[in-house]
Amino acid sequence: MKHGRLLDNHYNLTILLPAYNEKDRIGNTLSTYMNYLSRTPVYQHQRQTLNNYTTSCTNNLVSGTVSILVVDDGSSDGTAEFIRDRSWFSEQAGPPAGDGNINENNYWTVDPNVNVITLPQNSGKGAAIERGMIELPSSFDQGSSCIRKSVKSLVLVADADGSGDISCIDRMLHCLEEMLSNYSMSSTKRTDQNFGQTPALVVGYRQNLVPKSPLRDLLSQGFRSTVSFLFSGQELGVRDTQCGFKLMTVSAGKVLYKQLNLRRWTQDVEVIYRARLLKIPTAECGIVWVDKDGSKLITKKTDALFVSLAMFGEIANMRLQYALGTWTATP
């Protein structure tokens, strides 16, 4: 990467959590995410890359702010009310003391106020994420007294049960920056002025995943086989199409989730397929994932069969509709 693009970088990160009847689990997710980030330096890979680069701004190379947006997908258990009453909240510890190598400004600044949007009825995970994307600001760059200050607006889509380990955010940021840097050097259309606005997507790859139950394992295998069959394995360019942990630029999120046709279980496949159609740079990044109890898809053995058949039908129909041009991906 070129130093001129990386000096004085600032990330505006929004964590977007779609939630349906998650009152019993989302409090732990919110407190875990907020406390971890408030004690974590922003993008450690970048700091290491620029460690030997001397400038008047080296004490403020990287900074970041974090806000959390929960979209309550018509929950009936009081999920939104639970978040708003803040009984789950614990005071954030803040950056650790005594670290002379890292400026306090280089830690994530976490907004303690969680924003909540409530949908009038349950419309599906894809619909909830789409609604959340509408609320997000776009990426922008602004000048600074240093070489430049690049402000990148990013969104991390995660599951409300906290299955995705938030400690993987640094790894995913590194994947995103590497991808943007490579794209910048290979594209004649890229300039410093639009560097922070380029759509880009990083999809989590769940490593060493051990499902909590044989039924969930059966559903996962069935879904993976369906996608492989309908897309010839390589067309999507992503191995784990089911992972709910995705980091992207806001510009990518607004395009990929705009007017989704698949708004429930299979929305991830359409999002990734749209990225391929629109030639949005996409990378896969290994993450730590803990399969949590409480699946809302499978409660008995017969559910695995019916859900698998429904998913097969939705994805097959999606493949057909895009092939016919009935459904389109528009930038």
Side-chain angles (χ1 to χ4, degrees), residues 265-285:
W265 309 315
T266 51
Q267 50 85 25
D268 292 304
V269 179
E270 184 175 13
V271 167
I272 295 170
Y273 188 57
R274 281 183 167 187
R276 297 287 286 180
L277 292 177
L278 295 172
K279 295 182 171 53
I280 291 177
T282 302
E284 198 168 33
C285 180

Side-chain angles (χ1 to χ4, degrees), residues 74-107:
S75 298
S76 58
D77 68 344
T79 294
E81 292 76 12
F82 172 75
I83 296 171
R84 292 188 179 109
D85 72 20
R86 298 177 61 79
S87 60
W88 52 269
F89 180 76
S90 59
E91 195 67 31
Q92 299 164 38
D99 190 344
N101 296 320
I102 302 176
N103 189 300
E104 183 175 321
N105 293 329
N106 295 137
Y107 286 83

Side-chain angles (χ1 to χ4, degrees), residues 157-219:
V157 176
D159 287 349
D161 63 4
S163 298
D165 192 328
I166 192 60
S167 68
C168 296
I169 184 64
D170 188 74
R171 189 185 309 171
M172 296 189 81
L173 269 175
H174 185 56
C175 289
L176 185 73
E177 285 287 4
E178 286 286 302
M179 181 168 53
L180 286 174
S181 178
N182 293 335
Y183 182 72
S184 175
M185 290 185 289
S186 64
S187 174
T188 57
K189 297 180 180 180
R190 290 295 310 282
T191 65
D192 282 346
Q193 282 67 39
N194 63 18
F195 183 73
Q197 300 174 3
T198 301
L201 169 67
V202 177
V203 180
Y205 174 65
R206 297 170 292 180
Q207 298 175 316
N208 303 317
L209 176 63
V210 179
K212 282 285 187 180
S213 71
L215 288 177
R216 292 184 70 170
D217 186 35
L218 178 62
L219 177 62

